Amino acid sequence: GRFNVRPGHERDPVLGEHVAQVCRELPADAEVYADLRPETATRRILAGEGWTLDPDPWVALHVDLDRWRPTVDLDRCAIVEAADAVADRVAVQRAGFEGSTFTEEAWARMAAAPDYRRDLDLVLVGDGVPTAIATGWWAGEGATAILEPVASHRDHRGRGWGVRVVTALITRLRDRGASGVTVCTPLDYVGAIATYRAAGLHEVEHFQSSVRQSTA
């Protein structure tokens, strides 16, 4: 889960406990992560319950959409909604993340979430082959949207497909009224960071996630 707290409320104990309860309800049968700034009450609460810090730092990148302009065009590719190409959506994600066990069943659970929007879950077909995917989470008009996940097929990297699918998704989020877009990625994913920068995002902070091991 990714959480942001309005400045001035980071140490609010009631808010901290409310967010901590949301974290406790994350699936127990898998390792789970919560991105929380060090000063938040929630992070201190979870630390007291055995959550630890991920040793691998991440980076957050952001762009304000009132200043964003596409850096690439979408020639030589087609944009397909994942709901119309589930097998391709799953295959690209599995080929984009080493060790991924993502399945069509996992995609169906994601697509059943109340905040899922089919027009924000995209597969890019480049030169006739599914090459990249990106999913956006819209938080409402005037709010910051999240990109998660974004992946390029390992056999088709270095051709700009990742930048194009991110561009297509940001365009749709802007058209929905999002004020900005944020994405988080491990700091050592230099290719992903380069893709986001090329699409117009910039680094805003480094952080470590709170981690709870699987209780299964």
Side-chain angles (χ1 to χ4, degrees), residues 150 152 157-158 162-163 185-198:
V150 176
S152 295
R157 290 175 179 158
V163 177
T185 191
L187 190 57
D188 61 355
Y189 281 22
V190 294
I193 294 171
T195 292
Y196 298 133
R197 286 174 171 167

Side-chain angles (χ1 to χ4, degrees), residues 10-91:
E10 294 89 352
R11 294 175 174 81
D12 183 326
V14 175
L15 178 60
E17 176 58 31
H18 175 75
V19 178
Q21 184 57 38
V22 174
C23 293
R24 295 182 191 113
E25 294 171 359
L26 293 169
D29 59 351
E31 187 175 67
V32 296
Y33 294 77
D35 298 342
L36 298 154
R37 288 189 173 89
E39 66 272 19
T40 61
T42 302
R43 183 147 145 180
R44 292 194 298 274
I45 292 169
L46 295 181
E49 297 176 2
W51 291 56
T52 58
L53 287 180
D54 183 357
D56 299 320
W58 284 51
V59 58
L61 300 98
H62 178 83
V63 62
D64 291 325
L65 293 185
D66 60 348
R67 296 194 297 267
W68 179 79
R69 297 293 182 273
T71 59
V72 295
D73 57 36
L74 300 181
D75 61 342
R76 297 190 300 115
C77 65
I79 302 298
V80 180
E81 292 183 0
D84 296 325
V86 175
D88 291 336
R89 166 69 173 76
V90 170

Side-chain angles (χ1 to χ4, degrees), residues 120-163:
L120 301 178
D121 187 17
L122 306 179
V123 179
L124 183 142
V125 179
D127 292 339
V129 180
T131 56
I133 61 98
T135 303
W137 301 91
W138 184 70
E141 188 169 353
T144 295
I146 299 293
L147 305 186
E148 172 64 29
V150 176
S152 295
H153 195 295
R154 58 176 170 264
D155 294 338
H156 303 285
R157 290 175 179 158
R159 304 177 189 175
W161 303 128
V163 177

